[in-house]
C-alpha cells in the first residue's frame, strides 16, 4: 500500500506529481489511517509505504508509524529529510524497516528542483541513518534540470553504500510540465550507459532504472517490464481517501 497521509509539504518540488505544498491540508484522520491499515492486512497487504506530501509535517506521525508497525507491516517511510533530526532516530529504528528519500541531482540541481540547502540536509541525514543500520533507498526523478548529473549522482550514491538507488523519468503531471521531461531516446541512452558502466561491478547498492536492475547478473532489455496493473498487488491511497492501482491514474 502506498499510503499518502498528507498533501502538505515543507518543500514543494518543481516536478511533484501531487502538487503538494505548505498550503495543502491533511485529509485522512488518524482513525481513517488505522482503518486503511487494518483493511489492508485483512486483504493480504504485507508492506506499507508511508508518504505524502511530506509525512513528517504531521504531528501524529509517531502514532501512524507505531500503528503500521503494530499490525505487522514492512514499513517504509518516504521523507525529504528537511525536518529530520537525530531525535527521530529511536522512533525510526523502532518502527520503520526502510527509509526512502530523494536526491534529484548533484547539489546545484537538487537545490534548484527542491530547496536551497536541501542537498546537504539530505546527504547528512542519509549518513546518520546508515550509521545506525537503517536501510536507505534513494529516489531520483530524472528530468531536464538534472539529466547531465545522473552518471555522477549514481556514483555518488553508490559510494555511500546506500541499499538501493531508484531512478525514473518524470511524467508531466502535477507541477511537472512536458518541457521538463527527457525524451524516450535520451532516457534509453542514459540507462544503457549506466548499464554498461555498472553491469560488471560488484556494487552494494542496487541501482534500478524504472524496474531495470543494472547488476551484471540481470538480462537487460527495455521490453517486458512488469507493470503493477498486471500484478494487481499494489494500491495507492490518497489523503482524500481515493484509491488507485497506480499513481499515474491520479
Amino acid at each position: 500500500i502506498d499510503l499518502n497521509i498528507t498533501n502538505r509539504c515543507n518543500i514543494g518540488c518543481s516536478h511533484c506529481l501531487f502538487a503538494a505544498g505548505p498550503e495543502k491540508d491533511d485529509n485522512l484522520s488518524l482513525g481513517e489511517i488505522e482503518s486503511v491499515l487494518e483493511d489492508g492486512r485483512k486483504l493480504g497487504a504485507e508492506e506499507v509505504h508511508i508518504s505524502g506530501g511530506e509525512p513528517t509535517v504531521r504531528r501524529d506521525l509517531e502514532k501512524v508509524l507505531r500503528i503500521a508497525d503494530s499490525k505487522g507491516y514492512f514499513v517504509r517511510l518516504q521523507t525529504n529529510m528537511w525536518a529530520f533530526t537525530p531525535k527521530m532516530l529511536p522512533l525510526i529504528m523502532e518502527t520503520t524497516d526502510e527509509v526512502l528519500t530523494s536526491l534529484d541531482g548533484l547539489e546545484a540541481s537538487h537545490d534548484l528542483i527542491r530547496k536551497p540547502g536541501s542537498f546537504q540536509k539530505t546527504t547528512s541525514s542519509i549518513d546518520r541513518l546508515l550509521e545506525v543500520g537503517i536501510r536507505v533507498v534513494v529516489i531520483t526523478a530524472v528530468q531536464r534540470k538534472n539529466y547531465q548529473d545522473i552518471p555522477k549522482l549514481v556514483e555518488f550514491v553508490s559510494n555511500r553504500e546506500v541499499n538501493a538507488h531508484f531512478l525514473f523519468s518524470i511524467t508531466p503531471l502535477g507541477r511537472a510540465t512536458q518541457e521538463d521531461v527527457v525524451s524516450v531516446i535520451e532516457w534509453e541512452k542514459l540507462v544503457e550507459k549506466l548499464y554498461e558502466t555498472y553491469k560488471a561491478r560488484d556494487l552494494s547498492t542496487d541501482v534500478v532504472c524504472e524496474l531495470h536492475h543494472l547488476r551484471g547478473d540481470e538480462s537487460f532489455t527495455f521490453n517486458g517490464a512488469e507493470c503493477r496493473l498486471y500484478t494487481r498487488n499494489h494500491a495507492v491511497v490518497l489523503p482524500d481517501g481515493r484509491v488507485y492501482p497506480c499513481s499515474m491514474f491520479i
Side-chain angles (χ1 to χ4, degrees):
I1 300 173
D2 274 355
L3 182 55
N4 297 274
I5 62 174
T6 181
N7 265 332
R8 283 193 294 138
C9 183
N10 47 13
I11 288 186
C13 305
S14 61
H15 62 272
C16 182
L17 173 66
F18 302 105
E23 76 285 355
K24 299 296 179 70
D25 294 321
D26 294 329
N27 299 100
L28 286 177
S29 68
L30 185 62
E32 289 169 330
I33 290 170
E34 185 166 13
S35 293
V36 169
L37 292 170
E38 182 67 30
D39 289 345
R41 291 298 284 157
K42 290 177 181 177
L43 292 170
E46 298 178 351
E47 302 178 6
V48 62
H49 177 163
I50 296 173
S51 184
E54 170 53 39
T56 61
V57 302
R58 283 191 62 137
R59 295 181 179 179
D60 57 0
L61 176 62
E62 178 176 352
K63 294 179 180 179
V64 173
L65 291 174
R66 292 197 183 282
I67 290 170
D69 179 57
S70 71
K71 295 188 183 300
Y73 281 99
F74 182 96
V75 180
R76 292 187 179 91
L77 173 65
Q78 182 168 354
T79 171
N80 58 34
M81 297 292 190
W82 189 255
F84 177 84
T85 67
K87 292 181 179 180
M88 296 176 67
L89 281 174
L91 171 64
I92 292 174
M93 293 175 70
E94 290 172 18
T95 63
T96 306
D97 298 287
E98 190 171 81
V99 173
L100 283 71
T101 192
S102 294
L103 285 175
D104 288 325
L106 300 176
E107 186 166 5
S109 300
H110 176 94
D111 285 1
L112 173 66
I113 292 167
R114 290 181 167 264
K115 192 173 186 175
S118 61
F119 182 86
Q120 291 296 330
K121 178 73 172 173
T122 300
T123 53
S124 63
S125 298
I126 288 172
D127 291 343
R128 285 183 179 273
L129 292 168
L130 291 173
E131 285 171 4
V132 296
I134 295 172
R135 282 184 54 85
V136 176
V137 174
V138 169
I139 304 170
T140 299
V142 179
Q143 53 195 284
R144 288 277 170 216
K145 298 183 183 77
N146 63 16
Y147 181 76
Q148 298 300 326
D149 287 359
I150 301 306
K152 289 183 178 180
L153 179 65
V154 173
E155 187 76 10
F156 176 85
V157 172
S158 298
N159 286 341
R160 270 181 153 71
E161 298 188 345
V162 167
N163 296 91
H165 187 186
F166 285 81
L167 301 97
F168 67 95
S169 179
I170 66 168
T171 303
L173 297 171
R175 276 196 288 268
T177 67
Q178 187 61 50
E179 289 71 29
D180 296 322
V181 180
V182 299
S183 70
V184 173
I185 293 174
E186 289 172 309
W187 171 251
E188 292 187 355
K189 284 183 177 179
L190 173 64
V191 177
E192 288 169 348
K193 179 180 179 179
L194 292 173
Y195 178 70
E196 289 302 318
T197 301
Y198 292 103
K199 66 180 181 180
R201 291 176 58 177
D202 184 19
L203 294 178
S204 58
T205 300
D206 186 13
V207 183
V208 186
C209 298
E210 287 188 349
L211 303 181
H212 300 295
H213 293 257
L214 302 188
R215 285 185 173 161
D217 59 351
E218 296 284 345
S219 57
F220 177 79
T221 175
F222 282 106
N223 298 317
E226 191 176 70
C227 175
R228 286 169 170 170
L229 291 181
Y230 290 99
T231 58
R232 300 182 181 181
N233 62 2
H234 179 260
V236 179
V237 181
L238 299 186
D240 61 4
R242 287 178 293 156
V243 182
Y244 294 93
C246 174
S247 58
M248 294 299 103
F249 282 73
I250 297 170

